[in-house]
Amino acid sequence: MRIYDYLALSKEEQWETLWDEAVYVASFRSIDCCFQLYAMDRFFIELELCTQHGSILNMGVFVHGKKMDKYTDTVYQDILGFL
């Protein structure tokens, strides 16, 4: 599935596809929220979570760019931990 196919799905289908097919990659914690990164075939899905209420605030979909920067160190550390 490509990013445009995913975005063409209804919100309910996007959530189902995320939970059924996406692979958890990394997380990042900021001062007032937490972000979780999931990978699909050729794109990423980022969830913004409220740490106080344990709820999902936002879902973003992207291929690359600035949104990926906050995960770079975590992903490299995880990879190096396997070596």
Side-chain angles (χ1 to χ4, degrees), residues 13-55:
E13 292 172 319
Q14 287 180 6
W15 286 109
E16 288 176 23
T17 303
L18 170 66
W19 301 133
D20 292 343
E21 299 180 28
V23 176
Y24 172 80
V25 177
S27 62
F28 174 81
R29 189 172 190 80
S30 69
I31 295 170
D32 59 349
C33 61
C34 179
F35 297 90
Q36 291 183 343
L37 183 68
Y38 293 84
M40 288 285 288
D41 295 327
R42 295 181 182 186
F43 62 93
F44 297 97
I45 302 166
E46 179 183 62
L47 298 182
E48 181 180 358
L49 309 166
C50 174
T51 54
Q52 292 180 338
H53 299 103
S55 59

Side-chain angles (χ1 to χ4, degrees), residues 23-28 35-40 42-46 60-76 79:
V23 176
Y24 172 80
V25 177
S27 62
F28 174 81
F35 297 90
Q36 291 183 343
L37 183 68
Y38 293 84
M40 288 285 288
R42 295 181 182 186
F43 62 93
F44 297 97
I45 302 166
E46 179 183 62
V61 181
F62 61 95
V63 176
H64 55 74
K66 288 243 179 232
K67 286 190 171 197
M68 192 65 171
D69 290 349
K70 64 181 159 272
Y71 301 105
T72 307
D73 289 338
T74 305
V75 172
Y76 286 141
I79 291 170

Side-chain angles (χ1 to χ4, degrees), residues 1-14:
M1 175 179 293
R2 295 186 184 256
I3 190 169
Y4 298 111
D5 299 326
Y6 183 79
L7 293 172
L9 298 173
S10 69
K11 287 295 181 189
E12 291 175 5
E13 292 172 319
Q14 287 180 6

